Amino acid sequence: MVYLVVLGFYIAFVIWASLKSLKQAESMSDFTTGGHRMGLMLGIGTTTATWVSVASVMGVPGYLYSNGVSAIIGWVAGWFLATALFPIVAYKIRRPKTPARTFPEYIHLRFEPFRRISHLRTIVGAVMFIGYFLFVHLQVVGFGIVFSTITNIQYEYAIFAFLIFLLFTSIGGFWSVAATDTLNTTLIVIGVILGGASVLAATGGLGNIIDTMSSTTSPTNIGGDAIPEGSMISPVGTFGLGALFAIFMSNAVGSIVSPHWVTRMLAPKNIKVAILQIMGSLLVLTAIFIPLIIMGLGAKTLMPSLPADRTTDYIIPLIVQEYSPPLFGALTLVALCAAAVSSANSMLLHCATSIYYDVYLNIFSEKKITEKKFNMNLRIGMFVIAVIAVVSAITPPWFLAMGFTYVYGGFGAVFFAVVILGLYWKRMNRAAAYVSMLVGLFAYIAAQFASATNPFLIALGASLVGVFMVVFFTPKPPVEAYEPYFKADVSQSTQETFYHIQKNETDQSVVSDEEKLARKDA
Amino acid sequence: MVIALMTWFVTIIFGLLLGTYLCFRLEKHGVKRWGATGKLFHYNPKGEE
């Protein structure tokens, strides 16, 4: 009963916060990046909430439970390294006076500034759509596990409740996502600290947890194979050095250039706020991960093996229900829901924006729609995608944390060169951008199918080789393409090029309501 | 276990140091639009140019 009451309060608050923030989303830029005016505190809240997903709060403790401390290196340290490196993206991408509003728009501005229809932008939008659809799908799976645990509704039906959260937290666009994210961050911090304290108390302290990890051979699932003694305390665990390094690199390098993180760096008021936002988030995330690590490792002491029909993603909901006082348990499980909601709404926004704004409106740029209509179409798109993601989650194919690693690896292979080289190397040009993305994408898919140990590094290597083979044999990029990322004051022609892409050409399909009335009068 | 935890803590420290260095570079550029205020960790809440 306590669980349901706490969940009820959470739902009510999310709906209230979402409806309140609806008023703030007026323009298209507001809807996608918050109008580039986000402050520090809201920035820390929304960055942390987006960062902490079901992969963090359920997937990672699941791997800690089954593989021990090696999961700290593979996932926790990998993602923290990526976070540590986000400021190098913010330092450059937020420099232009009128920054890009979406990640594909940055690609258009940087590599095809004189093209009305950017095919590169279309490819990026399509890759993003697939990646973010998979991310939303994974959040639905995580939410379904927690929601079914709280309500005792069967998982297959529980996942449909996620639609309510997704719709309310996404309808106002970026501001709606940011407002509910700050609440979600607070809940996540409180929930995991209470959960961690409960597990610590139930196990009898850190000494007992370490003793169990050193000596246990209990299989992960009842009836499964025994794990090697000492493997849970080993830094490489049962993964092996090669596989663990591959996971670490995918999570670290792949995350830096993931479009949703690049977009996050565009939202703050200026570069300083973007950098401070990441530094603040690092500290909040540390406070979240200490209890999560205690919960994941401590679970092995409390529940040596999981029931045969449960994956490791279920470990936190199971031990919290069993070993926490009802109010603590309820707050911890609501924190897990908050983690799923806060990541899914942001990723749903990216998924819909990429397919509608960057693919559809880029191809059919002659279409004329008002900003109001644009926002409405985006909301409809989000609803349709959310429904498909929920239906696809009825039979989940992957473990949560590993699913994230696959997608981050793909993003890293495809986008590393266009983001990092694009921002820091003037010579990076259009041809190299095409080659790096296409070679990276196909090499990653091929390496995955060939079951290579490190598909991400193979694909990244192939992509970079492609760049260096092409870039010196093709024309230098025009100054208008790179100038805003290297100079504070840009030339008149660069200003005009930015203006044409953002206001007159590609974006001429999205006109303000006042503009439309003026045209009608004329 | 110590190695795993140390790897994690090193990434946190690295992140804080890198952020500080970039704030320092930003102040050195002195471009107000980018967020330079004259103080390393100070930002203008109004975001004025």
mmCIF file of all heavy atoms in Angstrom, chain B residues 4-27:
data_model
loop_
_atom_site.group_PDB
_atom_site.id
_atom_site.type_symbol
_atom_site.label_atom_id
_atom_site.label_comp_id
_atom_site.label_asym_id
_atom_site.label_seq_id
_atom_site.Cartn_x
_atom_site.Cartn_y
_atom_site.Cartn_z
ATOM 1 N N ALA B 4 39.500 -1.226 -9.261
ATOM 2 C CA ALA B 4 38.241 -0.792 -9.873
ATOM 3 C C ALA B 4 37.804 0.564 -9.309
ATOM 4 O O ALA B 4 37.443 1.478 -10.063
ATOM 5 C CB ALA B 4 37.163 -1.846 -9.633
ATOM 6 N N LEU B 5 37.853 0.687 -7.988
ATOM 7 C CA LEU B 5 37.422 1.944 -7.379
ATOM 8 C C LEU B 5 38.361 3.099 -7.730
ATOM 9 O O LEU B 5 37.914 4.217 -7.982
ATOM 10 C CB LEU B 5 37.329 1.793 -5.850
ATOM 11 C CG LEU B 5 36.164 0.939 -5.353
ATOM 12 C CD1 LEU B 5 36.245 0.736 -3.848
ATOM 13 C CD2 LEU B 5 34.819 1.562 -5.725
ATOM 14 N N MET B 6 39.665 2.789 -7.787
ATOM 15 C CA MET B 6 40.637 3.834 -8.135
ATOM 16 C C MET B 6 40.408 4.332 -9.563
ATOM 17 O O MET B 6 40.497 5.532 -9.848
ATOM 18 C CB MET B 6 42.078 3.323 -7.991
ATOM 19 C CG MET B 6 42.567 3.217 -6.553
ATOM 20 S SD MET B 6 42.417 4.763 -5.647
ATOM 21 C CE MET B 6 43.660 5.735 -6.468
ATOM 22 N N THR B 7 40.112 3.385 -10.479
ATOM 23 C CA THR B 7 39.849 3.768 -11.879
ATOM 24 C C THR B 7 38.688 4.763 -11.925
ATOM 25 O O THR B 7 38.729 5.774 -12.633
ATOM 26 C CB THR B 7 39.490 2.521 -12.720
ATOM 27 O OG1 THR B 7 40.457 1.517 -12.475
ATOM 28 C CG2 THR B 7 39.431 2.831 -14.199
ATOM 29 N N TRP B 8 37.662 4.452 -11.158
ATOM 30 C CA TRP B 8 36.480 5.322 -11.121
ATOM 31 C C TRP B 8 36.831 6.699 -10.542
ATOM 32 O O TRP B 8 36.506 7.726 -11.130
ATOM 33 C CB TRP B 8 35.382 4.635 -10.301
ATOM 34 C CG TRP B 8 34.127 5.447 -10.133
ATOM 35 C CD1 TRP B 8 33.573 6.296 -11.044
ATOM 36 C CD2 TRP B 8 33.288 5.482 -8.980
ATOM 37 N NE1 TRP B 8 32.422 6.851 -10.530
ATOM 38 C CE2 TRP B 8 32.217 6.368 -9.271
ATOM 39 C CE3 TRP B 8 33.299 4.840 -7.751
ATOM 40 C CZ2 TRP B 8 31.194 6.636 -8.362
ATOM 41 C CZ3 TRP B 8 32.267 5.106 -6.853
ATOM 42 C CH2 TRP B 8 31.241 5.982 -7.159
ATOM 43 N N PHE B 9 37.514 6.709 -9.398
ATOM 44 C CA PHE B 9 37.851 7.992 -8.760
ATOM 45 C C PHE B 9 38.771 8.842 -9.646
ATOM 46 O O PHE B 9 38.651 10.067 -9.675
ATOM 47 C CB PHE B 9 38.461 7.781 -7.377
ATOM 48 C CG PHE B 9 37.440 7.346 -6.351
ATOM 49 C CD1 PHE B 9 37.649 6.238 -5.554
ATOM 50 C CD2 PHE B 9 36.246 8.039 -6.211
ATOM 51 C CE1 PHE B 9 36.690 5.823 -4.636
ATOM 52 C CE2 PHE B 9 35.282 7.631 -5.292
ATOM 53 C CZ PHE B 9 35.505 6.520 -4.503
ATOM 54 N N VAL B 10 39.665 8.181 -10.383
ATOM 55 C CA VAL B 10 40.551 8.933 -11.283
ATOM 56 C C VAL B 10 39.724 9.665 -12.347
ATOM 57 O O VAL B 10 39.997 10.821 -12.679
ATOM 58 C CB VAL B 10 41.589 7.987 -11.940
ATOM 59 C CG1 VAL B 10 42.276 8.653 -13.125
ATOM 60 C CG2 VAL B 10 42.640 7.570 -10.905
ATOM 61 N N THR B 11 38.673 9.010 -12.858
ATOM 62 C CA THR B 11 37.844 9.670 -13.885
ATOM 63 C C THR B 11 37.124 10.894 -13.297
ATOM 64 O O THR B 11 36.960 11.904 -13.977
ATOM 65 C CB THR B 11 36.797 8.716 -14.511
ATOM 66 O OG1 THR B 11 35.906 8.272 -13.496
ATOM 67 C CG2 THR B 11 37.432 7.534 -15.186
ATOM 68 N N ILE B 12 36.718 10.790 -12.029
ATOM 69 C CA ILE B 12 36.031 11.926 -11.393
ATOM 70 C C ILE B 12 37.000 13.103 -11.238
ATOM 71 O O ILE B 12 36.691 14.240 -11.619
ATOM 72 C CB ILE B 12 35.467 11.533 -10.002
ATOM 73 C CG1 ILE B 12 34.434 10.420 -10.146
ATOM 74 C CG2 ILE B 12 34.844 12.744 -9.301
ATOM 75 C CD1 ILE B 12 34.046 9.748 -8.839
ATOM 76 N N ILE B 13 38.171 12.814 -10.712
ATOM 77 C CA ILE B 13 39.174 13.872 -10.509
ATOM 78 C C ILE B 13 39.564 14.484 -11.856
ATOM 79 O O ILE B 13 39.665 15.699 -12.008
ATOM 80 C CB ILE B 13 40.442 13.300 -9.803
ATOM 81 C CG1 ILE B 13 40.060 12.682 -8.448
ATOM 82 C CG2 ILE B 13 41.525 14.379 -9.635
ATOM 83 C CD1 ILE B 13 39.481 13.653 -7.443
ATOM 84 N N PHE B 14 39.750 13.612 -12.858
ATOM 85 C CA PHE B 14 40.113 14.083 -14.191
ATOM 86 C C PHE B 14 39.042 15.045 -14.726
ATOM 87 O O PHE B 14 39.352 16.095 -15.294
ATOM 88 C CB PHE B 14 40.287 12.886 -15.130
ATOM 89 C CG PHE B 14 40.484 13.264 -16.570
ATOM 90 C CD1 PHE B 14 41.632 13.926 -16.986
ATOM 91 C CD2 PHE B 14 39.507 12.973 -17.521
ATOM 92 C CE1 PHE B 14 41.796 14.293 -18.320
ATOM 93 C CE2 PHE B 14 39.663 13.328 -18.851
ATOM 94 C CZ PHE B 14 40.816 13.994 -19.253
ATOM 95 N N GLY B 15 37.782 14.681 -14.525
ATOM 96 C CA GLY B 15 36.681 15.524 -14.993
ATOM 97 C C GLY B 15 36.703 16.894 -14.345
ATOM 98 O O GLY B 15 36.510 17.912 -15.015
ATOM 99 N N LEU B 16 36.937 16.934 -13.038
ATOM 100 C CA LEU B 16 36.954 18.215 -12.329
ATOM 101 C C LEU B 16 38.148 19.070 -12.773
ATOM 102 O O LEU B 16 38.028 20.282 -12.951
ATOM 103 C CB LEU B 16 36.983 17.980 -10.814
ATOM 104 C CG LEU B 16 35.742 17.249 -10.254
ATOM 105 C CD1 LEU B 16 35.911 16.970 -8.761
ATOM 106 C CD2 LEU B 16 34.467 18.043 -10.488
ATOM 107 N N LEU B 17 39.290 18.413 -12.987
ATOM 108 C CA LEU B 17 40.480 19.147 -13.428
ATOM 109 C C LEU B 17 40.306 19.686 -14.850
ATOM 110 O O LEU B 17 40.649 20.832 -15.140
ATOM 111 C CB LEU B 17 41.723 18.252 -13.350
ATOM 112 C CG LEU B 17 42.207 17.895 -11.934
ATOM 113 C CD1 LEU B 17 43.387 16.941 -12.004
ATOM 114 C CD2 LEU B 17 42.595 19.158 -11.161
ATOM 115 N N LEU B 18 39.759 18.845 -15.724
ATOM 116 C CA LEU B 18 39.566 19.278 -17.112
ATOM 117 C C LEU B 18 38.582 20.450 -17.181
ATOM 118 O O LEU B 18 38.811 21.427 -17.901
ATOM 119 C CB LEU B 18 39.060 18.107 -17.972
ATOM 120 C CG LEU B 18 38.825 18.417 -19.447
ATOM 121 C CD1 LEU B 18 40.128 18.756 -20.156
ATOM 122 C CD2 LEU B 18 38.157 17.237 -20.155
ATOM 123 N N GLY B 19 37.498 20.354 -16.416
ATOM 124 C CA GLY B 19 36.514 21.440 -16.371
ATOM 125 C C GLY B 19 37.154 22.730 -15.890
ATOM 126 O O GLY B 19 36.930 23.807 -16.461
ATOM 127 N N THR B 20 37.981 22.623 -14.852
ATOM 128 C CA THR B 20 38.665 23.805 -14.320
ATOM 129 C C THR B 20 39.591 24.415 -15.369
ATOM 130 O O THR B 20 39.619 25.638 -15.564
ATOM 131 C CB THR B 20 39.499 23.411 -13.075
ATOM 132 O OG1 THR B 20 38.631 22.739 -12.166
ATOM 133 C CG2 THR B 20 40.111 24.630 -12.398
ATOM 134 N N TYR B 21 40.324 23.554 -16.068
ATOM 135 C CA TYR B 21 41.248 24.037 -17.104
ATOM 136 C C TYR B 21 40.489 24.769 -18.216
ATOM 137 O O TYR B 21 40.899 25.841 -18.670
ATOM 138 C CB TYR B 21 42.036 22.857 -17.689
ATOM 139 C CG TYR B 21 42.849 23.235 -18.900
ATOM 140 C CD1 TYR B 21 43.964 24.064 -18.777
ATOM 141 C CD2 TYR B 21 42.496 22.780 -20.171
ATOM 142 C CE1 TYR B 21 44.700 24.433 -19.896
ATOM 143 C CE2 TYR B 21 43.221 23.139 -21.291
ATOM 144 C CZ TYR B 21 44.321 23.966 -21.151
ATOM 145 O OH TYR B 21 45.038 24.336 -22.250
ATOM 146 N N LEU B 22 39.350 24.206 -18.624
ATOM 147 C CA LEU B 22 38.588 24.842 -19.703
ATOM 148 C C LEU B 22 37.965 26.162 -19.246
ATOM 149 O O LEU B 22 37.896 27.118 -20.024
ATOM 150 C CB LEU B 22 37.514 23.884 -20.239
ATOM 151 C CG LEU B 22 38.063 22.669 -20.998
ATOM 152 C CD1 LEU B 22 36.940 21.721 -21.382
ATOM 153 C CD2 LEU B 22 38.826 23.099 -22.252
ATOM 154 N N CYS B 23 37.546 26.229 -17.976
ATOM 155 C CA CYS B 23 37.049 27.504 -17.432
ATOM 156 C C CYS B 23 38.180 28.537 -17.453
ATOM 157 O O CYS B 23 37.971 29.712 -17.778
ATOM 158 C CB CYS B 23 36.542 27.327 -15.995
ATOM 159 S SG CYS B 23 34.953 26.514 -15.897
ATOM 160 N N PHE B 24 39.392 28.096 -17.120
ATOM 161 C CA PHE B 24 40.564 28.975 -17.133
ATOM 162 C C PHE B 24 40.820 29.500 -18.547
ATOM 163 O O PHE B 24 41.039 30.684 -18.766
ATOM 164 C CB PHE B 24 41.771 28.193 -16.602
ATOM 165 C CG PHE B 24 43.085 28.899 -16.784
ATOM 166 C CD1 PHE B 24 43.437 29.974 -15.968
ATOM 167 C CD2 PHE B 24 43.975 28.503 -17.783
ATOM 168 C CE1 PHE B 24 44.644 30.634 -16.148
ATOM 169 C CE2 PHE B 24 45.177 29.157 -17.972
ATOM 170 C CZ PHE B 24 45.517 30.228 -17.146
ATOM 171 N N ARG B 25 40.738 28.587 -19.532
ATOM 172 C CA ARG B 25 40.945 28.989 -20.936
ATOM 173 C C ARG B 25 39.889 30.008 -21.372
ATOM 174 O O ARG B 25 40.173 30.955 -22.095
ATOM 175 C CB ARG B 25 40.862 27.757 -21.857
ATOM 176 C CG ARG B 25 42.045 26.804 -21.770
ATOM 177 C CD ARG B 25 43.265 27.370 -22.486
ATOM 178 N NE ARG B 25 43.018 27.649 -23.891
ATOM 179 C CZ ARG B 25 43.329 26.827 -24.891
ATOM 180 N NH1 ARG B 25 43.922 25.677 -24.631
ATOM 181 N NH2 ARG B 25 43.086 27.145 -26.142
ATOM 182 N N LEU B 26 38.675 29.760 -20.905
ATOM 183 C CA LEU B 26 37.549 30.633 -21.244
ATOM 184 C C LEU B 26 37.786 32.039 -20.701
ATOM 185 O O LEU B 26 37.541 33.040 -21.394
ATOM 186 C CB LEU B 26 36.288 30.039 -20.607
ATOM 187 C CG LEU B 26 34.966 30.200 -21.316
ATOM 188 C CD1 LEU B 26 35.017 29.630 -22.709
ATOM 189 C CD2 LEU B 26 33.878 29.500 -20.526
ATOM 190 N N GLU B 27 38.262 32.102 -19.469
ATOM 191 C CA GLU B 27 38.552 33.405 -18.859
ATOM 192 C C GLU B 27 39.694 34.097 -19.602
ATOM 193 O O GLU B 27 39.712 35.312 -19.726
ATOM 194 C CB GLU B 27 38.905 33.235 -17.374
ATOM 195 C CG GLU B 27 37.740 32.818 -16.505
ATOM 196 C CD GLU B 27 36.573 33.793 -16.556
ATOM 197 O OE1 GLU B 27 36.788 34.981 -16.830
ATOM 198 O OE2 GLU B 27 35.420 33.346 -16.364
#
